Amino acid sequence: MKATKIIAVLAVALVAGTMGLTSCSKGNGDGKGSSAAKKGKGKSVVLAESDFQVKFTEDESGVCITEYTGEYSDYKKYGENPIDEAVFPSTVQGLPVKAIRLSYVFAKSIVIPEGVEAICKYGFWTGTSSVTLPSTLKGIGNNTFENVTNLKEINLPEGLLWIGCHAFSKSGLTSVTLPKSLRVIGYSGSNYDSGAFYYCDSLEEINIPDGIELSGQYMWNKGDEKPLSECFSGEKIKSSLALQKLLKEHKIKFMGNSETDKLEDEIFTKNGL
């Protein structure tokens, strides 16, 4: 779709009051209807397109969700009485959702639709206990699930390439399996407590596939090699010699700044994050 066509469509949406456009800074089931989300069976809710602010992806072929402003972001109403499930839209005004930088949705369970390639930045409420990730997901950015203490398990899809610094820090994870496709993982370093799975005190099962090749996110010199333990910490890891041995045996080897920057741009920047 040509840029002029897309802009024309979105201009109409703005006049009608159905959609907001906002900017989103780097790094750091379709929904339709009125300003209220449509309710499905039981307490599952498909969030309305009109309750999201978005921006274009780099090539204007899709959108990045930058904020949720609907009723389920209201702590006074839902902070202590969350809905059972919130389903994010796969399109907004006919354009595919490629990335999500969320504001809180007070829901026990979150479903991210197929087609989304990246999620980023403090996106999830601490009380969310279940997150369904799409098979299309390539990147989980810095701090995405930090402090989500009710999250005990998550299925990381094969095809995932990037897990950023503090992506799961202080979460409630008890078990994690790294996909073999993973290439970059948040690295602590000698002076920073920024590992992807730092302070995960309940984490007691870590599955690492044979042949996985990992690079630290913020290592210094190309070719530097460190143990995978630089990306994990927690009370149960600290007390388990088996986990400590496992994490020391697997290595992260820095691929170099130019390679990591290129991959970061491909996953996050092009999708509007």
Side-chain angles (χ1 to χ4, degrees):
M1 183 181 291
K2 294 182 180 178
T4 52
K5 272 187 147 181
I6 298 172
I7 291 169
V9 171
L10 293 181
V12 171
L14 282 168
V15 172
T18 61
M19 178 179 175
L21 290 176
T22 186
S23 63
C24 177
S25 60
K26 175 183 175 182
N28 258 315
D30 300 346
K32 298 179 181 179
S34 64
S35 60
K38 287 189 173 183
K39 297 184 178 180
K41 293 181 180 180
K43 295 183 181 180
S44 180
V45 175
V46 178
L47 303 176
E49 293 181 11
S50 54
D51 287 338
F52 292 97
Q53 293 185 355
V54 303
K55 62 173 288 188
F56 285 125
T57 57
E58 219 174 39
D59 64 1
E60 299 185 351
S61 65
V63 294
C64 167
I65 286 175
T66 60
E67 189 173 358
Y68 171 68
T69 59
E71 64 171 307
Y72 303 109
S73 64
D74 186 341
Y75 178 79
K76 290 182 180 179
K77 291 178 67 175
Y78 296 102
E80 294 184 1
N81 186 31
I83 58 175
D84 285 345
E85 181 179 83
V87 181
F88 279 78
S90 59
T91 62
V92 173
Q93 293 295 317
L95 295 175
V97 175
K98 304 298 290 184
I100 299 176
R101 190 181 79 179
L102 302 177
S103 300
Y104 284 165
V105 179
F106 293 104
K108 297 174 186 176
S109 177
I110 296 287
V111 178
I112 304 296
E114 290 295 313
V116 171
E117 295 184 0
I119 53 179
C120 179
K121 280 289 186 187
Y122 300 109
F124 295 87
W125 172 51
T126 183
T128 295
S129 57
S130 173
V131 179
T132 300
L133 300 176
S135 65
T136 51
L137 191 67
K138 296 179 180 178
I140 298 173
N142 296 351
N143 309 100
T144 301
F145 295 100
E146 185 172 5
N147 293 313
V148 185
T149 53
N150 275 17
L151 186 65
K152 308 300 181 186
E153 294 185 7
I154 192 166
N155 181 24
L156 300 175
E158 195 60 43
L160 184 68
L161 299 171
W162 188 291
I163 299 176
C165 287
H166 282 305
F168 291 94
S169 287
K170 300 179 183 179
S171 69
L173 286 179
T174 61
S175 173
V176 65
T177 298
L178 300 181
K180 190 171 183 178
S181 58
L182 191 64
R183 288 295 173 265
V184 175
I185 188 168
Y187 162 71
S188 176
S190 58
N191 298 315
Y192 304 97
D193 290 339
S194 56
F197 296 90
Y198 250 53
Y199 308 112
C200 290
D201 289 335
S202 299
L203 190 56
E204 59 185 354
E205 181 182 357
I206 303 170
N207 299 303
I208 306 169
D210 293 336
I212 192 170
E213 297 179 4
L214 293 171
S215 174
Q217 185 174 353
Y218 293 129
M219 294 173 73
W220 314 125
N221 300 306
K222 185 173 181 177
D224 280 357
E225 189 173 272
K226 300 288 183 180
L228 187 55
S229 55
E230 293 281 356
C231 307
F232 288 80
S233 74
E235 289 302 314
K236 291 195 174 180
I237 294 173
K238 188 177 179 180
S239 63
S240 170
L241 294 177
L243 285 179
Q244 291 174 40
K245 184 174 184 291
L246 175 71
L247 293 171
K248 286 180 180 178
E249 287 176 345
H250 284 81
K251 305 297 182 182
I252 50 176
K253 187 173 183 178
F254 190 44
M255 67 172 65
N257 288 309
S258 60
E259 289 86 351
T260 55
D261 287 351
K262 181 179 179 181
L263 188 59
E264 185 175 17
D265 287 344
E266 180 69 18
I267 296 170
F268 298 103
T269 306
K270 83 162 191 178
N271 285 315
L273 289 170

